[in-house]
Amino acid sequence: MKRVRAIETIVEELTDELVVCNLGFPSRELYALHDRETHFYMLGSMGLASSIGLGISLSQPRKVVVLDGDGSLLMNLGSLATIANHAPENYLLIVLDNRCYGSTGCQPTATAKAADLAAIASGAGVRGVKTASTVGGIRFHVHGSGVLIITVDPGNADVPIVDCEPVEIRSRFVREIKRRLRRR
Ligand SMILES: Cc1ncc(C[n+]2csc(CCOP(=O)(O)OP(=O)(O)O)c2C)c(N)n1
Ligand SMILES: [Mg+2]
């Protein structure tokens, strides 16, 4: 299964959860499949999606789903220990593991050789780490919390860049969070 199919499956299952997405092609694919004000496309900083999402989940009650990449998470492994330490019920980190830096030419990452992100997450203290490699597996696990590692094939969809300025992405996302908080 290609990453874009995994993202499509995830988006089909979600309703109004907050979504923080890894930079590069994952954000482009998500944007092309379905753009929502609840999506935060991380357009620049590699490795920070899991931490940004964790902070959001700890500061408000709505569920946060992070779409991260293997390369990006490998750059910020400490995030897993912090996720385990806080273990918010309203937080799910999904890692789309294509075993390469897919957005920049598919240079192999450490997961192509030996690194096992599910084992690393468990070792960091995350309870009940889930894995999936099929549409059915994704549908089943996407409604949970913690960490879900999805194995996908390399390859980027032929989709345009995210046609939305970073400032606009941020302000509409924050507006959406505040709107919900006011309604409580
Ligand atoms: C600090 C930093 N280093 C490198 C880059 C360049 N870069 C952008 S996306 C990317 C690959 C990301 O790989 P991964 O997180 O596995 O996601 P994939 O594209 O494979 O889905 C790289 C190296 C960057 N934006 N920031
Ligand atoms: Mg990758």
Side-chain angles (χ1 to χ4, degrees):
M1 174 177 37
K2 289 269 171 65
R3 182 188 53 220
V4 68
R5 179 76 182 110
I7 295 177
E8 185 181 29
T9 306
I10 293 162
V11 167
E12 281 168 4
E13 290 294 314
L14 299 182
T15 48
D16 69 343
E17 293 86 344
L18 300 169
V19 178
V20 178
C21 190
N22 191 26
L23 80 173
F25 270 95
S27 272
R28 291 167 62 158
E29 291 171 358
L30 176 63
Y31 184 74
L33 282 164
H34 195 128
D35 179 39
R36 286 181 179 142
E37 308 234 316
T38 47
H39 292 177
F40 182 79
Y41 308 101
M42 170 37 72
L43 297 189
S45 303
M46 190 176 166
L48 288 180
S50 62
S51 304
I52 293 168
L54 179 64
I56 297 167
S57 76
L58 292 172
S59 61
Q60 55 79 57
R62 199 161 168 184
K63 182 165 177 189
V64 179
V65 176
V66 176
L67 305 185
D68 210 353
D70 49 317
S72 291
L73 184 60
L74 284 163
M75 198 178 260
N76 182 18
L77 285 177
S79 181
L80 290 169
T82 313
I83 291 165
N85 199 24
H86 292 280
E89 278 298 316
N90 64 335
Y91 178 82
L92 177 67
L93 169 62
I94 298 178
V95 185
L96 299 157
D97 185 1
N98 56 7
R99 301 183 172 139
C100 69
Y101 299 101
S103 296
T104 51
C106 211
Q107 304 84 358
T109 64
T111 63
K113 213 169 184 185
D116 178 342
L117 287 173
I120 294 171
S122 297
V126 178
R127 288 180 183 274
V129 175
K130 308 288 190 300
T131 58
S133 56
T134 62
V135 166
I138 295 172
R139 287 198 202 287
F140 186 73
H141 290 302
V142 77
H143 300 289
S145 60
V147 174
L148 168 62
I149 313 284
I150 302 177
T151 304
V152 292
D153 298 324
N156 305 318
D158 185 13
V159 286
I161 58 164
V162 175
D163 184 22
C164 188
E165 289 296 319
V167 169
E168 173 60 13
I169 293 170
R170 184 203 57 193
S171 22
R172 66 182 204 164
F173 186 70
V174 170
R175 206 163 47 229
E176 177 62 26
I177 293 174
K178 287 185 175 163
R179 189 181 62 78
R180 173 60 69 84
L181 284 175
R182 271 200 304 274
R183 281 205 319 218
R184 292 180 75 225

